[in-house]
Short mmCIF file of all heavy atoms in Angstrom, two decimals:
data_model
loop_
_atom_site.label_atom_id
_atom_site.label_comp_id
_atom_site.label_asym_id
_atom_site.label_seq_id
_atom_site.Cartn_x
_atom_site.Cartn_y
_atom_site.Cartn_z
N MET H 25 0.12 55.66 -154.00
CA MET H 25 -1.22 56.22 -154.40
C MET H 25 -1.01 57.49 -155.23
O MET H 25 -0.12 58.20 -155.06
CB MET H 25 -1.95 56.57 -153.13
CG MET H 25 -3.41 56.91 -153.43
SD MET H 25 -4.31 57.45 -151.84
CE MET H 25 -4.36 55.85 -151.01
N LYS H 26 -1.87 57.58 -156.27
CA LYS H 26 -1.80 58.83 -157.13
C LYS H 26 -3.03 59.74 -157.00
O LYS H 26 -4.12 59.28 -156.66
CB LYS H 26 -1.63 58.29 -158.57
CG LYS H 26 -0.27 57.69 -158.79
CD LYS H 26 0.06 57.64 -160.30
CE LYS H 26 1.47 57.29 -160.49
NZ LYS H 26 1.90 57.11 -161.86
N CYS H 27 -2.66 60.92 -157.22
CA CYS H 27 -3.73 61.92 -157.13
C CYS H 27 -4.91 61.75 -158.18
O CYS H 27 -4.58 61.64 -159.31
CB CYS H 27 -3.12 63.40 -157.27
SG CYS H 27 -4.30 64.67 -157.28
N ARG H 28 -6.13 61.81 -157.71
CA ARG H 28 -7.25 61.55 -158.70
C ARG H 28 -7.49 62.84 -159.45
O ARG H 28 -8.16 62.77 -160.50
CB ARG H 28 -8.52 61.15 -157.92
CG ARG H 28 -9.02 62.29 -156.96
CD ARG H 28 -9.94 61.70 -155.91
NE ARG H 28 -10.12 62.65 -154.87
CZ ARG H 28 -11.15 63.28 -154.50
NH1 ARG H 28 -12.19 63.20 -155.13
NH2 ARG H 28 -11.13 64.03 -153.40
N ILE H 29 -6.84 63.96 -159.11
CA ILE H 29 -7.06 65.18 -159.88
C ILE H 29 -6.00 65.33 -160.98
O ILE H 29 -6.30 65.59 -162.18
CB ILE H 29 -7.00 66.49 -159.00
CG1 ILE H 29 -7.98 66.34 -157.82
CG2 ILE H 29 -7.23 67.67 -159.83
CD1 ILE H 29 -9.46 66.40 -158.21
N CYS H 30 -4.76 65.18 -160.60
CA CYS H 30 -3.71 65.50 -161.55
C CYS H 30 -2.72 64.28 -161.80
O CYS H 30 -1.94 64.38 -162.70
CB CYS H 30 -2.88 66.69 -161.13
SG CYS H 30 -1.88 66.42 -159.62
N GLY H 31 -2.95 63.16 -161.09
CA GLY H 31 -2.11 62.05 -161.36
C GLY H 31 -0.71 62.00 -160.78
O GLY H 31 0.05 61.04 -160.99
N ASN H 32 -0.39 63.02 -160.06
CA ASN H 32 0.93 63.06 -159.39
C ASN H 32 0.97 62.25 -158.21
O ASN H 32 -0.02 61.93 -157.58
CB ASN H 32 1.28 64.53 -159.06
CG ASN H 32 1.89 65.32 -160.28
OD1 ASN H 32 3.10 65.23 -160.45
ND2 ASN H 32 1.07 65.91 -161.03
N PRO H 33 2.17 61.79 -157.75
CA PRO H 33 2.26 60.98 -156.57
C PRO H 33 1.74 61.79 -155.20
O PRO H 33 1.94 62.98 -155.19
CB PRO H 33 3.73 60.56 -156.40
CG PRO H 33 4.44 61.43 -157.37
CD PRO H 33 3.42 62.08 -158.34
N MET H 34 1.25 60.95 -154.31
CA MET H 34 0.80 61.58 -153.02
C MET H 34 1.75 61.08 -151.89
O MET H 34 2.16 59.98 -151.98
CB MET H 34 -0.63 61.23 -152.79
CG MET H 34 -1.52 61.59 -153.94
SD MET H 34 -3.25 61.38 -153.59
CE MET H 34 -3.70 62.88 -152.81
N LYS H 35 1.85 61.90 -150.90
CA LYS H 35 2.71 61.47 -149.81
C LYS H 35 1.83 61.57 -148.49
O LYS H 35 0.90 62.34 -148.40
CB LYS H 35 3.87 62.29 -149.65
CG LYS H 35 3.69 63.67 -149.21
CD LYS H 35 4.96 64.37 -148.70
CE LYS H 35 4.64 65.72 -148.21
NZ LYS H 35 5.39 66.31 -147.19
N SER H 36 2.16 60.71 -147.51
CA SER H 36 1.52 60.63 -146.24
C SER H 36 2.00 61.87 -145.41
O SER H 36 3.15 62.15 -145.34
CB SER H 36 1.78 59.40 -145.50
OG SER H 36 1.26 58.32 -146.26
N THR H 37 1.04 62.57 -144.84
CA THR H 37 1.31 63.68 -144.00
C THR H 37 0.33 63.79 -142.86
O THR H 37 -0.66 63.02 -142.87
CB THR H 37 1.56 64.96 -144.81
OG1 THR H 37 1.94 66.02 -143.97
CG2 THR H 37 0.24 65.31 -145.52
N VAL H 38 0.46 64.73 -141.97
CA VAL H 38 -0.61 65.04 -141.01
C VAL H 38 -1.00 66.48 -141.19
O VAL H 38 -0.21 67.40 -141.48
CB VAL H 38 -0.17 64.82 -139.61
CG1 VAL H 38 -0.11 63.31 -139.21
CG2 VAL H 38 1.05 65.52 -139.28
N THR H 39 -2.30 66.80 -141.05
CA THR H 39 -2.82 68.07 -141.26
C THR H 39 -3.97 68.35 -140.38
O THR H 39 -4.47 67.40 -139.69
CB THR H 39 -3.24 68.38 -142.76
OG1 THR H 39 -3.43 69.71 -142.90
CG2 THR H 39 -4.46 67.54 -143.12
N ASP H 40 -4.44 69.60 -140.19
CA ASP H 40 -5.63 69.91 -139.43
C ASP H 40 -6.71 70.23 -140.37
O ASP H 40 -6.56 70.98 -141.35
CB ASP H 40 -5.39 71.25 -138.58
CG ASP H 40 -4.12 70.97 -137.68
OD1 ASP H 40 -3.85 69.87 -137.37
OD2 ASP H 40 -3.54 72.00 -137.29
N LEU H 41 -7.95 69.67 -140.29
CA LEU H 41 -9.05 69.83 -141.17
C LEU H 41 -10.35 70.18 -140.41
O LEU H 41 -10.63 69.59 -139.39
CB LEU H 41 -9.27 68.61 -141.98
CG LEU H 41 -8.20 68.26 -143.06
CD1 LEU H 41 -8.62 66.92 -143.74
CD2 LEU H 41 -8.10 69.35 -144.10
N PRO H 42 -11.12 71.23 -140.90
CA PRO H 42 -12.43 71.39 -140.38
C PRO H 42 -13.49 70.56 -141.01
O PRO H 42 -13.47 70.24 -142.18
CB PRO H 42 -12.63 72.92 -140.80
CG PRO H 42 -11.89 73.04 -142.09
CD PRO H 42 -10.77 72.05 -142.04
N PHE H 43 -14.46 70.17 -140.13
CA PHE H 43 -15.60 69.39 -140.60
C PHE H 43 -16.85 70.06 -140.12
O PHE H 43 -16.92 70.38 -138.88
CB PHE H 43 -15.54 67.96 -140.07
CG PHE H 43 -14.41 67.01 -140.58
CD1 PHE H 43 -13.18 67.16 -139.99
CD2 PHE H 43 -14.70 66.26 -141.68
CE1 PHE H 43 -12.17 66.36 -140.54
CE2 PHE H 43 -13.62 65.45 -142.23
CZ PHE H 43 -12.41 65.53 -141.60
N LYS H 44 -17.79 70.19 -141.02
CA LYS H 44 -19.07 70.85 -140.59
C LYS H 44 -20.08 69.62 -140.27
O LYS H 44 -20.28 68.82 -141.15
CB LYS H 44 -19.67 71.66 -141.73
CG LYS H 44 -20.70 72.55 -141.19
CD LYS H 44 -20.92 73.75 -142.30
CE LYS H 44 -21.94 74.71 -141.63
NZ LYS H 44 -23.03 75.07 -142.62
N THR H 45 -20.51 69.55 -138.99
CA THR H 45 -21.27 68.45 -138.57
C THR H 45 -22.72 68.72 -138.48
O THR H 45 -23.60 67.88 -138.45
CB THR H 45 -20.81 67.83 -137.26
OG1 THR H 45 -20.88 68.89 -136.26
CG2 THR H 45 -19.37 67.32 -137.31
N SER H 46 -23.12 69.98 -138.38
CA SER H 46 -24.49 70.37 -138.41
C SER H 46 -24.56 71.83 -138.91
O SER H 46 -23.49 72.41 -139.28
CB SER H 46 -25.20 70.26 -137.07
OG SER H 46 -24.81 71.30 -136.23
N GLU H 47 -25.80 72.36 -138.95
CA GLU H 47 -25.91 73.75 -139.50
C GLU H 47 -25.02 74.79 -138.78
O GLU H 47 -24.52 75.66 -139.45
CB GLU H 47 -27.39 74.13 -139.24
CG GLU H 47 -27.91 75.20 -140.17
CD GLU H 47 -27.67 74.87 -141.67
OE1 GLU H 47 -27.97 73.72 -142.11
OE2 GLU H 47 -27.17 75.72 -142.36
N ARG H 48 -24.77 74.51 -137.53
CA ARG H 48 -23.91 75.56 -136.85
C ARG H 48 -22.76 75.00 -136.14
O ARG H 48 -22.09 75.76 -135.31
CB ARG H 48 -24.82 76.36 -135.84
CG ARG H 48 -25.42 75.44 -134.79
CD ARG H 48 -26.07 76.31 -133.71
NE ARG H 48 -26.49 75.52 -132.60
CZ ARG H 48 -27.03 75.99 -131.51
NH1 ARG H 48 -27.14 77.25 -131.35
NH2 ARG H 48 -27.35 75.15 -130.55
N THR H 49 -22.44 73.74 -136.36
CA THR H 49 -21.31 73.12 -135.66
C THR H 49 -20.14 72.78 -136.56
O THR H 49 -20.33 72.23 -137.60
CB THR H 49 -21.75 71.81 -134.93
OG1 THR H 49 -22.88 72.00 -134.20
CG2 THR H 49 -20.64 71.22 -134.16
N ILE H 50 -19.01 73.38 -136.18
CA ILE H 50 -17.75 73.11 -136.92
C ILE H 50 -16.81 72.41 -135.95
O ILE H 50 -16.59 72.83 -134.89
CB ILE H 50 -17.20 74.32 -137.58
CG1 ILE H 50 -18.04 74.85 -138.68
CG2 ILE H 50 -15.71 74.06 -138.03
CD1 ILE H 50 -17.58 76.21 -139.31
N VAL H 51 -16.23 71.31 -136.48
CA VAL H 51 -15.27 70.52 -135.65
C VAL H 51 -13.89 70.61 -136.44
O VAL H 51 -13.88 70.31 -137.61
CB VAL H 51 -15.68 69.03 -135.54
CG1 VAL H 51 -14.67 68.30 -134.68
CG2 VAL H 51 -17.06 69.01 -134.90
N ILE H 52 -12.90 71.01 -135.63
CA ILE H 52 -11.57 70.95 -136.28
C ILE H 52 -10.84 69.83 -135.70
O ILE H 52 -10.70 69.61 -134.51
CB ILE H 52 -10.80 72.32 -136.00
CG1 ILE H 52 -11.47 73.43 -136.68
CG2 ILE H 52 -9.38 72.22 -136.43
CD1 ILE H 52 -10.98 74.79 -136.29
N LEU H 53 -10.32 68.91 -136.64
CA LEU H 53 -9.57 67.76 -136.23
C LEU H 53 -8.11 68.05 -136.46
O LEU H 53 -7.71 68.39 -137.56
CB LEU H 53 -9.99 66.53 -137.02
CG LEU H 53 -11.36 65.91 -136.62
CD1 LEU H 53 -11.64 64.63 -137.41
CD2 LEU H 53 -11.34 65.57 -135.07
N LYS H 54 -7.33 67.98 -135.37
CA LYS H 54 -5.91 68.30 -135.44
C LYS H 54 -5.11 66.95 -135.71
O LYS H 54 -5.44 65.93 -135.21
CB LYS H 54 -5.43 68.90 -134.08
CG LYS H 54 -6.30 70.05 -133.58
CD LYS H 54 -5.85 71.43 -134.04
CE LYS H 54 -4.56 71.78 -133.57
NZ LYS H 54 -4.23 73.25 -133.83
N GLN H 55 -4.04 67.13 -136.49
CA GLN H 55 -3.08 66.02 -136.62
C GLN H 55 -3.75 64.83 -137.27
O GLN H 55 -3.48 63.72 -136.84
CB GLN H 55 -2.40 65.71 -135.33
CG GLN H 55 -1.58 66.85 -134.79
CD GLN H 55 -0.80 66.55 -133.62
OE1 GLN H 55 -1.07 65.66 -132.77
NE2 GLN H 55 0.34 67.27 -133.38
N LEU H 56 -4.49 65.10 -138.27
CA LEU H 56 -5.13 64.01 -139.00
C LEU H 56 -4.19 63.41 -140.03
O LEU H 56 -3.62 64.23 -140.84
CB LEU H 56 -6.38 64.67 -139.70
CG LEU H 56 -7.50 63.87 -140.20
CD1 LEU H 56 -8.18 63.03 -139.11
CD2 LEU H 56 -8.49 64.74 -140.88
N PRO H 57 -4.10 62.08 -140.10
CA PRO H 57 -3.18 61.51 -141.14
C PRO H 57 -3.90 61.49 -142.52
O PRO H 57 -5.00 60.95 -142.61
CB PRO H 57 -3.00 60.11 -140.60
CG PRO H 57 -4.02 59.79 -139.72
CD PRO H 57 -4.61 61.10 -139.18
N VAL H 58 -3.30 62.09 -143.49
CA VAL H 58 -3.88 62.10 -144.83
C VAL H 58 -2.85 61.79 -145.86
O VAL H 58 -1.65 61.86 -145.64
CB VAL H 58 -4.55 63.52 -145.15
CG1 VAL H 58 -5.63 63.90 -144.19
CG2 VAL H 58 -3.49 64.59 -145.22
N SER H 59 -3.30 61.47 -147.07
CA SER H 59 -2.41 61.41 -148.26
C SER H 59 -2.59 62.72 -148.98
O SER H 59 -3.76 63.05 -149.41
CB SER H 59 -2.72 60.26 -149.16
OG SER H 59 -2.50 59.02 -148.50
N GLN H 60 -1.50 63.44 -149.26
CA GLN H 60 -1.67 64.76 -149.93
C GLN H 60 -0.81 64.83 -151.22
O GLN H 60 0.35 64.32 -151.24
CB GLN H 60 -1.14 65.84 -148.95
CG GLN H 60 -1.53 67.25 -149.52
CD GLN H 60 -1.50 68.28 -148.46
OE1 GLN H 60 -0.71 68.28 -147.54
NE2 GLN H 60 -2.45 69.26 -148.49
N CYS H 61 -1.37 65.38 -152.21
CA CYS H 61 -0.77 65.47 -153.56
C CYS H 61 0.38 66.51 -153.45
O CYS H 61 0.14 67.57 -152.85
CB CYS H 61 -1.70 65.97 -154.59
SG CYS H 61 -1.04 66.15 -156.15
N LEU H 62 1.53 66.13 -154.03
CA LEU H 62 2.65 67.04 -153.96
C LEU H 62 2.49 68.23 -154.92
O LEU H 62 3.15 69.27 -154.82
CB LEU H 62 3.99 66.33 -154.33
CG LEU H 62 4.34 65.22 -153.38
CD1 LEU H 62 5.40 64.36 -153.84
CD2 LEU H 62 4.64 65.78 -151.99
N ASN H 63 1.59 68.06 -155.92
CA ASN H 63 1.42 69.07 -156.99
C ASN H 63 0.32 69.98 -156.69
O ASN H 63 0.53 71.25 -156.76
CB ASN H 63 1.20 68.24 -158.23
CG ASN H 63 1.03 69.23 -159.45
OD1 ASN H 63 1.97 70.16 -159.71
ND2 ASN H 63 -0.02 69.13 -160.22
N CYS H 64 -0.88 69.53 -156.41
CA CYS H 64 -2.00 70.42 -156.31
C CYS H 64 -2.64 70.44 -154.93
O CYS H 64 -3.72 71.14 -154.72
CB CYS H 64 -3.06 69.98 -157.35
SG CYS H 64 -3.97 68.47 -156.90
N ASN H 65 -2.10 69.74 -153.88
CA ASN H 65 -2.53 69.77 -152.59
C ASN H 65 -3.87 69.10 -152.26
O ASN H 65 -4.44 69.25 -151.23
CB ASN H 65 -2.50 71.17 -152.00
CG ASN H 65 -1.17 71.70 -151.75
OD1 ASN H 65 -0.16 70.89 -151.50
ND2 ASN H 65 -0.96 73.01 -151.81
N GLU H 66 -4.44 68.40 -153.28
CA GLU H 66 -5.57 67.54 -153.06
C GLU H 66 -5.19 66.55 -152.02
O GLU H 66 -4.17 66.06 -151.97
CB GLU H 66 -5.95 66.84 -154.41
CG GLU H 66 -7.11 65.90 -154.29
CD GLU H 66 -8.41 66.55 -154.14
OE1 GLU H 66 -8.56 67.80 -154.29
OE2 GLU H 66 -9.46 65.78 -153.85
N TYR H 67 -6.18 66.19 -151.13
CA TYR H 67 -5.90 65.18 -150.13
C TYR H 67 -6.97 64.10 -150.06
O TYR H 67 -8.06 64.35 -150.44
CB TYR H 67 -5.69 65.80 -148.74
CG TYR H 67 -6.86 66.57 -148.22
CD1 TYR H 67 -7.95 65.90 -147.66
CD2 TYR H 67 -6.96 67.93 -148.38
CE1 TYR H 67 -9.05 66.51 -147.24
CE2 TYR H 67 -8.06 68.65 -147.95
CZ TYR H 67 -9.15 67.84 -147.39
OH TYR H 67 -10.26 68.62 -146.95
N ILE H 68 -6.54 62.92 -149.63
CA ILE H 68 -7.45 61.79 -149.42
C ILE H 68 -7.33 61.25 -148.07
O ILE H 68 -6.21 61.17 -147.53
CB ILE H 68 -7.06 60.74 -150.57
CG1 ILE H 68 -7.23 61.14 -151.86
CG2 ILE H 68 -7.89 59.46 -150.29
CD1 ILE H 68 -6.88 60.20 -152.99
N LEU H 69 -8.42 60.87 -147.47
CA LEU H 69 -8.41 60.16 -146.19
C LEU H 69 -8.61 58.70 -146.47
O LEU H 69 -9.49 58.34 -147.21
CB LEU H 69 -9.51 60.74 -145.29
CG LEU H 69 -9.32 61.97 -144.49
CD1 LEU H 69 -9.15 63.22 -145.36
CD2 LEU H 69 -10.39 62.19 -143.42
N ASP H 70 -7.70 57.83 -145.80
CA ASP H 70 -8.01 56.40 -145.93
C ASP H 70 -9.33 56.01 -145.25
O ASP H 70 -9.80 56.74 -144.36
CB ASP H 70 -6.84 55.65 -145.19
CG ASP H 70 -5.55 55.77 -145.90
OD1 ASP H 70 -5.57 56.18 -147.07
OD2 ASP H 70 -4.56 55.54 -145.32
N ASP H 71 -9.91 54.87 -145.73
CA ASP H 71 -11.19 54.43 -145.12
C ASP H 71 -11.12 54.28 -143.71
O ASP H 71 -12.01 54.65 -142.98
CB ASP H 71 -11.60 53.14 -145.81
CG ASP H 71 -12.12 53.36 -147.25
OD1 ASP H 71 -12.24 54.49 -147.66
OD2 ASP H 71 -12.20 52.33 -148.00
N SER H 72 -10.05 53.68 -143.19
CA SER H 72 -9.85 53.47 -141.73
C SER H 72 -9.74 54.82 -140.97
O SER H 72 -10.33 54.90 -139.87
CB SER H 72 -8.61 52.62 -141.48
OG SER H 72 -7.44 53.28 -141.88
N VAL H 73 -9.21 55.79 -141.59
CA VAL H 73 -9.08 57.11 -140.93
C VAL H 73 -10.50 57.72 -140.94
O VAL H 73 -10.95 58.30 -139.94
CB VAL H 73 -8.16 58.04 -141.69
CG1 VAL H 73 -8.17 59.45 -141.14
CG2 VAL H 73 -6.76 57.44 -141.63
N MET H 74 -11.22 57.61 -142.05
CA MET H 74 -12.55 58.15 -142.23
C MET H 74 -13.52 57.62 -141.15
O MET H 74 -14.28 58.30 -140.50
CB MET H 74 -13.00 57.92 -143.63
CG MET H 74 -14.10 58.88 -143.95
SD MET H 74 -13.65 60.58 -144.10
CE MET H 74 -15.02 61.37 -143.34
N GLU H 75 -13.33 56.26 -140.94
CA GLU H 75 -14.21 55.65 -139.94
C GLU H 75 -14.01 56.24 -138.52
O GLU H 75 -14.91 56.50 -137.76
CB GLU H 75 -13.89 54.14 -139.86
CG GLU H 75 -14.73 53.32 -140.91
CD GLU H 75 -14.39 51.92 -140.82
OE1 GLU H 75 -13.99 51.35 -139.79
OE2 GLU H 75 -14.39 51.22 -141.87
N HIS H 76 -12.71 56.40 -138.19
CA HIS H 76 -12.37 56.97 -136.90
C HIS H 76 -12.78 58.36 -136.70
O HIS H 76 -13.33 58.82 -135.72
CB HIS H 76 -10.82 56.80 -136.63
CG HIS H 76 -10.45 57.15 -135.33
ND1 HIS H 76 -10.83 56.47 -134.22
CD2 HIS H 76 -9.71 58.13 -134.81
CE1 HIS H 76 -10.26 56.89 -133.12
NE2 HIS H 76 -9.60 58.00 -133.40
N VAL H 77 -12.70 59.14 -137.85
CA VAL H 77 -13.19 60.52 -137.92
C VAL H 77 -14.69 60.56 -137.58
O VAL H 77 -15.17 61.39 -136.86
CB VAL H 77 -12.88 61.18 -139.32
CG1 VAL H 77 -13.74 62.48 -139.52
CG2 VAL H 77 -11.38 61.45 -139.46
N GLU H 78 -15.47 59.67 -138.23
CA GLU H 78 -16.90 59.63 -138.06
C GLU H 78 -17.25 59.40 -136.61
O GLU H 78 -18.23 59.93 -136.13
CB GLU H 78 -17.50 58.70 -139.02
CG GLU H 78 -17.60 59.29 -140.41
CD GLU H 78 -18.17 58.27 -141.53
OE1 GLU H 78 -18.59 57.20 -141.19
OE2 GLU H 78 -18.08 58.73 -142.74
N LYS H 79 -16.47 58.47 -136.06
CA LYS H 79 -16.76 58.14 -134.61
C LYS H 79 -16.48 59.41 -133.74
O LYS H 79 -17.31 59.71 -132.83
CB LYS H 79 -15.79 57.03 -134.09
CG LYS H 79 -16.42 55.64 -134.26
CD LYS H 79 -15.47 54.63 -133.69
CE LYS H 79 -15.61 53.37 -134.53
NZ LYS H 79 -14.31 52.57 -134.50
N LEU H 80 -15.37 60.07 -134.06
CA LEU H 80 -15.05 61.27 -133.23
C LEU H 80 -16.11 62.36 -133.40
O LEU H 80 -16.62 62.97 -132.49
CB LEU H 80 -13.72 61.85 -133.68
CG LEU H 80 -12.51 61.05 -133.26
CD1 LEU H 80 -11.25 61.70 -134.03
CD2 LEU H 80 -12.26 61.14 -131.76
N LEU H 81 -16.60 62.52 -134.64
CA LEU H 81 -17.62 63.57 -134.91
C LEU H 81 -18.97 63.19 -134.36
O LEU H 81 -19.69 64.13 -133.95
CB LEU H 81 -17.76 63.77 -136.47
CG LEU H 81 -16.48 64.27 -137.26
CD1 LEU H 81 -16.78 64.44 -138.69
CD2 LEU H 81 -16.00 65.47 -136.64
N SER H 82 -19.21 61.91 -134.20
CA SER H 82 -20.60 61.57 -133.73
C SER H 82 -20.70 61.89 -132.18
O SER H 82 -21.80 61.93 -131.66
CB SER H 82 -20.84 60.09 -134.02
OG SER H 82 -19.98 59.25 -133.15
N LYS H 83 -19.53 62.07 -131.53
CA LYS H 83 -19.53 62.34 -130.11
C LYS H 83 -19.62 63.81 -129.83
O LYS H 83 -19.87 64.19 -128.70
CB LYS H 83 -18.24 61.81 -129.45
CG LYS H 83 -18.20 60.30 -129.37
CD LYS H 83 -16.87 59.93 -128.76
CE LYS H 83 -16.68 58.39 -129.00
NZ LYS H 83 -15.25 58.04 -128.94
N VAL H 84 -19.54 64.66 -130.79
CA VAL H 84 -19.60 66.08 -130.63
C VAL H 84 -21.03 66.54 -130.43
O VAL H 84 -21.90 66.13 -131.14
CB VAL H 84 -18.92 66.75 -131.81
CG1 VAL H 84 -19.16 68.39 -131.67
CG2 VAL H 84 -17.52 66.47 -131.94
N SER H 85 -21.25 67.32 -129.37
CA SER H 85 -22.61 67.88 -129.11
C SER H 85 -23.03 68.80 -130.19
O SER H 85 -22.27 69.61 -130.73
CB SER H 85 -22.57 68.57 -127.76
OG SER H 85 -23.75 69.40 -127.70
N GLU H 86 -24.36 68.59 -130.59
CA GLU H 86 -24.81 69.55 -131.69
C GLU H 86 -24.96 70.96 -131.17
O GLU H 86 -25.29 71.84 -131.97
CB GLU H 86 -26.13 68.95 -132.26
CG GLU H 86 -25.90 67.82 -133.16
CD GLU H 86 -27.19 67.33 -133.77
OE1 GLU H 86 -28.19 68.05 -133.81
OE2 GLU H 86 -27.24 66.20 -134.24
N SER H 87 -24.98 71.11 -129.88
CA SER H 87 -25.15 72.48 -129.36
C SER H 87 -23.76 73.28 -129.32
O SER H 87 -23.72 74.47 -129.19
CB SER H 87 -25.67 72.49 -127.90
OG SER H 87 -24.74 71.74 -127.04
N ALA H 88 -22.74 72.62 -129.65
CA ALA H 88 -21.41 73.25 -129.76
C ALA H 88 -21.30 74.01 -131.02
O ALA H 88 -21.80 73.50 -132.06
CB ALA H 88 -20.30 72.24 -129.56
N GLU H 89 -20.68 75.12 -131.02
CA GLU H 89 -20.46 75.92 -132.33
C GLU H 89 -19.13 75.52 -132.88
O GLU H 89 -18.99 75.45 -134.09
CB GLU H 89 -20.58 77.40 -132.03
CG GLU H 89 -22.04 77.90 -131.82
CD GLU H 89 -22.15 79.32 -131.79
OE1 GLU H 89 -21.29 80.00 -132.42
OE2 GLU H 89 -23.06 79.82 -131.17
N LEU H 90 -18.13 75.32 -131.97
CA LEU H 90 -16.81 74.98 -132.48
C LEU H 90 -16.19 74.04 -131.45
O LEU H 90 -16.17 74.29 -130.22
CB LEU H 90 -15.97 76.31 -132.49
CG LEU H 90 -14.50 76.02 -132.93
CD1 LEU H 90 -14.41 75.50 -134.36
CD2 LEU H 90 -13.73 77.31 -132.80
N GLU H 91 -15.71 72.89 -132.01
CA GLU H 91 -15.02 71.98 -131.20
C GLU H 91 -13.68 71.73 -131.86
O GLU H 91 -13.58 71.54 -133.11
CB GLU H 91 -15.72 70.55 -131.23
CG GLU H 91 -16.93 70.51 -130.20
CD GLU H 91 -16.53 70.16 -128.73
OE1 GLU H 91 -15.47 69.47 -128.64
OE2 GLU H 91 -17.24 70.43 -127.84
N ILE H 92 -12.65 71.64 -131.07
CA ILE H 92 -11.31 71.28 -131.53
C ILE H 92 -10.88 69.89 -131.02
O ILE H 92 -10.76 69.79 -129.73
CB ILE H 92 -10.26 72.32 -131.32
CG1 ILE H 92 -10.77 73.63 -132.02
CG2 ILE H 92 -8.94 71.93 -131.77
CD1 ILE H 92 -9.92 74.83 -131.64
N LEU H 93 -10.69 68.89 -131.86
CA LEU H 93 -10.32 67.54 -131.33
C LEU H 93 -9.07 67.20 -131.89
O LEU H 93 -8.63 67.58 -132.98
CB LEU H 93 -11.40 66.53 -131.73
CG LEU H 93 -12.86 66.76 -131.25
CD1 LEU H 93 -13.66 65.74 -131.84
CD2 LEU H 93 -12.94 66.71 -129.76
N ARG H 94 -8.30 66.36 -131.14
CA ARG H 94 -7.16 65.80 -131.66
C ARG H 94 -7.32 64.37 -132.18
O ARG H 94 -7.96 63.56 -131.44
CB ARG H 94 -6.02 65.75 -130.52
CG ARG H 94 -4.65 65.42 -130.95
CD ARG H 94 -3.75 65.69 -129.76
NE ARG H 94 -3.63 67.05 -129.36
CZ ARG H 94 -2.69 67.92 -129.85
NH1 ARG H 94 -1.76 67.46 -130.69
NH2 ARG H 94 -2.74 69.14 -129.49
N TYR H 95 -6.96 64.09 -133.38
CA TYR H 95 -7.06 62.77 -133.91
C TYR H 95 -6.02 61.88 -133.23
O TYR H 95 -4.83 62.17 -133.41
CB TYR H 95 -6.86 62.71 -135.45
CG TYR H 95 -7.04 61.39 -136.05
CD1 TYR H 95 -8.22 60.95 -136.58
CD2 TYR H 95 -5.95 60.51 -136.04
CE1 TYR H 95 -8.40 59.78 -137.25
CE2 TYR H 95 -6.06 59.35 -136.70
CZ TYR H 95 -7.27 58.92 -137.16
OH TYR H 95 -7.43 57.58 -137.77
N ALA H 96 -6.43 60.90 -132.52
CA ALA H 96 -5.41 59.96 -131.86
C ALA H 96 -5.63 58.59 -132.51
O ALA H 96 -6.69 58.03 -132.33
CB ALA H 96 -5.60 59.99 -130.43
N ALA H 97 -4.64 58.04 -133.11
CA ALA H 97 -4.76 56.82 -133.72
C ALA H 97 -4.76 55.64 -132.72
O ALA H 97 -4.19 55.78 -131.61
CB ALA H 97 -3.56 56.56 -134.78
ZN1 ZN L 6 -2.86 66.50 -157.58
#
């Protein structure tokens, strides 16, 4: 896979990313598998990963201000 920003090769890695799920809720997903550009650090989530992320995020209570979840494949 190549970076859509700069065209350099991307490598698979794991990272922690924050997601804002509502006006006041932030969810941090730990150890998320992504493809990251070696040149500009742009990253892409695979469709299957994104689906799992959406499932995880949908379970988070909207009354929570901060949730930290571990992405488990
Ligand atoms: Zn790039």
Side-chain angles (χ1 to χ4, degrees):
M25 190 183 292
K26 289 196 168 180
C27 176
R28 66 197 156 114
I29 305 295
C30 69
N32 275 272
M34 305 187 87
K35 70 164 182 149
S36 296
T37 183
V38 289
T39 190
D40 304 335
L41 289 178
F43 293 85
K44 200 164 183 228
T45 58
S46 77
E47 205 50 49
R48 62 174 187 172
T49 308
I50 290 178
V51 181
I52 294 172
L53 287 181
K54 312 262 300 185
Q55 298 185 331
L56 196 60
V58 300
S59 297
Q60 188 159 40
C61 178
L62 300 171
N63 183 52
C64 71
N65 289 333
E66 175 74 10
Y67 59 82
I68 296 176
L69 277 66
D70 290 343
D71 286 348
S72 59
V73 174
M74 201 62 222
E75 273 177 32
H76 190 63
V77 165
E78 283 174 6
K79 267 185 218 152
L80 289 172
L81 295 182
S82 71
K83 289 179 193 156
V84 173
S85 163
E86 282 183 21
S87 62
E89 289 190 23
L90 176 67
E91 281 272 338
I92 299 172
L93 300 176
R94 190 170 293 264
Y95 181 96

